[in-house]
Amino acid sequence: MDQGILMVGADNRVLVHNQKARDLLGVSEGLLHEGARFDLLQQHQIDRGEFRKVNGELRHLLESAALGTAAVTYERERPNGTSIEVRSVPLPTGGLVRTFTDITERRRREAALRLAEAEYQTLFQNAVVGVYRANLDGTLVRANQALAKLHGYGDSACATAPGTGFTHDWYVDGDRTHAFMRLLLTHGRVDDFVSEVTGHATGRPIWVSETAWLVRDAEGCPSCFEGTVVDATERKRAEAQIEHMARHDALTGLPNRRQFQERLTQELVHAQRQGTAVAVLCCDLDRFKTVNDTFGHPAGDALLCTLADRMRRSLQPGDIVARLGGDEFAIILLGRSHPHGVGAAAQRLIEVVGEPVDIDGHLTNVGVSIGVAIGLDDGDRADLLFKNADIALYRAKEAGRHTCRFYEAGMDMAVASRNLLEIDLKDTVRNGGFALHYQPIIDLASDTVRGFEALLRWPHAAKGMISPADFIPLAEETGLIVELGAWALRDACQEAASWPSDLRVGVNVSAVQIQHIDFHQHVLDALVRSGLAPERLELEITESVLVKDAERVIACLHRLRRIGVRLAIDDFGTGYSSLSYLCQFPFDKIKIDRSFIQDACASTSGAIVRAVVGLGKHLGATITAEGVETQAQLDWVRREGCSEVQGFIFGKPMPPSVIKGMMRPVGVGHDQQPERTHCPVSCERRSLLDA
Ligand code: C2E
Ligand code: CA
Ligand code: CA
């Protein structure tokens, strides 16, 4: 038997017992045997302290042997820790039958369960996310404190109380509840279901993100569901803000280029369907740059806001004004196909923009030039229509500012090819389409790659690859170099950040760019965004930079140098007054123009290179020889004491993917960054040349 049994006769002697009874009571056969006296057995147990773990009245009854033959059932813990259940039944003839059951394991399991339940309760109640269990009809069975709080209730008991209306059915519209339940029942689970909840105690709607799963009964039928809920109000707000920022100009709050393009595309589709027209106006402020330079940036910003506001007001509701960047605006006029109406709107814009503006007590005024193209006649695609409006804008500017011109077929022919290139350039700067190629710079002392110079490339759809020598001057003249240069800085830093940490990147900076008020900020932005150490960025500046506006530029260079950015003087020897400026500013590097290197045999070149090397040593600057193409030139610049070389002998400028590919074979992939990059010239030269 699994139980211990003991039968005692009316004469107080043991009639029957089993081994299990002896085991469970912990007594020997000497004490418990057929015919043994039951009272002696009891006394023995009392004497050895068998009941000392029993509490209260029961212990008293057991220790005084007062239970007699009464019918009782009780549990007790033995000194050795086992728990037994004792059942005693009197016999009709006197005496009793007693059974003993070992319930140690059962009690242990129950205790563990209670502990687990308590632990689970703390977890459930203290969780910072809302947790619930709900019936399939949406009524909540249980909810924790966090969920109650999320919904504005003091505690979960009150939240789940009937009549509070606090059910799972919180959603604004039935459709969402329906969608939620359909997902839950089909997939058994719903993840990150975001919805607006109106059942908030305060009446204020909130957004929540919910993850829920179906609970099934033993037969596998859905019985209820459980879930976690977090407040998503902040996240929704941030998302809305990011969405807004992505589609609006931060300064004026007007739609930005992206939104403008989207709207124009939509409106053209609409116009096609309805047989209506869409007019696009490209607007460029005249004299804005002067005002900006004279009164400073904040004044320029305020002016842009004022003008943006005036333009918006002068148009009809539904028309769209967007700021494309800088002082460029674009407008979509809806449903006005007649040139007369569009012309009148443009004239009104010219008038309102031209009215004087008060800047810090100075009355000033700027004007606006406008180019108009009307879809679908002048273009049925957004990009084409916009481009034609831009061509018309050029004509307006040519005609003397503050005017408006309509696009006419053939106008693009009439616009000089230089202007067409300018329009293309502007378009590419705006929409992307430039690339940077990288040319290795070799350190002659260690014969290793020291870094790369980033060089702009413009792959043009019709004209093929346009050389920087052809478009940089145009970009400088039009001021586009500021935006283009900022892009090159960002892109080069981003690229270099993925290289081994001992490689530098050289970025060319134009004189126009460096004189711009934002230049310093552009460099910082590029460093911060990419995470590139400032010491790894080398700005290449030509001497001409130091001629105009020298003091302001030198101050800016000092500021950059203080944060660790390195500065190189480029094309050295081709400018003027070089030597005096070299002494004014401590450059980290001097790059000798390739005309001197390629002219190596000429005695004057030899003398100049020797002088520059001497000067560089004196100033503590690195000397780089540019344009080294032959072994003879390499031997010569080495002999003359140049520290670095750059030239076709080691490699032409290459796309980033190619130079990355070259870093890998010598174990310098950026996933395994060694202390130094060993790209021995001897073995590397081949692959560079092959590439
Ligand atoms: P740079 O700064 O003097 O750049 C070196 C030029 O020499 C590059 O021409 C390069 O391809 C070329 N070169 C390098 N090694 C050799 C050689 O061994 N032999 C010969 N014949 N040429 C060699 P690239 O790429 O056509 O650039 C021309 C110029 O355009 C640059 O001259 C620089 O002044 C300007 N540039 C390029 N990228 C940028 C940029 O991002 N910003 C600015 N502002 N200017 C840039
Ligand atoms: Ca350069
Ligand atoms: Ca150069």
Side-chain angles (χ1 to χ4, degrees), residues 1-16:
M1 276 180 79
D2 196 26
Q3 283 172 312
I5 188 158
L6 180 67
M7 189 189 261
V8 180
D11 59 355
N12 195 33
R13 286 189 184 268
V14 173
L15 285 173
V16 175

Side-chain angles (χ1 to χ4, degrees), residues 453 455 508 540 542 569-572 591-594 626 646:
E453 176 176 0
L455 293 154
N508 292 287
E540 299 195 0
T542 54
I569 190 147
D570 204 358
D571 304 340
F572 189 79
K591 298 187 83 174
I592 306 178
D593 190 67
R594 68 166 183 264
E626 290 190 308
Q646 181 179 355

